[in-house]
Amino acid sequence: MLYLIGKIFGLLFIMSVALLFDKKKTKKSIILTSIFTLLFWSVFEMIATLDGNLISWRLAFVLFLNSLITGIIAMAIVDITIIVDRLYEKKWYTKILPWFAGILYGLVFVIVVPLVIMEQVKLYRETKQVEETVESVAQVWGFILSKELITDWCKPYYELKVYPKKFAETFGPIKLNAENFIVETAKKSGEDISVMQVAKASIVDTANKSYEEDYVATKNKKEQNGGKYSKKDYCKMIDDKADFHISNTKQYFEQLFNLSLDK
């Protein structure tokens, strides 16, 4: 209720300025002037109600629409008051109040708008930095997951025992920390964490295709020498040479992300 009352007085003030540009001051012209005034008002109220949030097209539209809807009631009361009480003919409303309202809102715009712009620039930089960090962490998580999935790919043919254990010892903590960071950041920003499942599904598909291609390439080389090579043989080789494969993965990881896994 207090919000509506405050809005009525605010619009009553700014309409005193807007009516200076309405030469006709008929009922129709006053209503048209009030419509343009409400649109103008809603834009600046939208800026004032960002409340520390980084502006986006979606947020701006929601705040603008909310201001417009609540403003229609307040502006209707203002229009009725101006027309019924014939405020547009009274000196205090047409001569004195516009000066007061103009100075008041002018000061508000001069002080508030720069502060909002500075806040938005700061929020944008912070958000950009977080996005870049999340992207880097997501790449780390995706890389580790793609190498870990060999265990699932091999399961129908040969159950890996050595590789999963040693891989978890080397990359497990990093993967867990990366996953927790992504989830917590998503929650703080109000994003749906189900995007992790979508990303995981995509990584699984890509990784399985990569394993299949590597197996086929290895099989072809073996068969050129007259031997047979099954997926069981391929997976057993992964397990038997777990230290070698993990060492190569570790080296590639450190080069790719410029990180050292050595404590």
Side-chain angles (χ1 to χ4, degrees), residues 221-237:
K221 288 181 181 179
K222 295 288 184 179
E223 290 181 346
Q224 284 177 1
N225 298 323
K228 291 185 178 181
Y229 197 73
S230 66
K231 289 183 177 179
K232 179 180 179 180
D233 296 327
Y234 176 82
C235 292
K236 188 175 184 303
M237 178 270 295

Side-chain angles (χ1 to χ4, degrees), residues 25 30 50-51 57 67-68 92 98 114 123 127 132 137 141 144 147 162 166 173 190 195 217 224 237 245 255 263:
K25 291 185 176 57
I30 290 173
L50 286 171
D51 195 25
W57 287 110
S67 176
L68 200 60
W92 69 269
L123 287 171
T127 302
E132 290 174 354
V137 173
W141 173 76
I144 296 173
K147 301 301 180 182
V162 179
K166 292 193 173 183
V195 69
Q224 284 177 1
M237 178 270 295
H245 291 295
Q255 291 174 351
K263 295 181 180 179

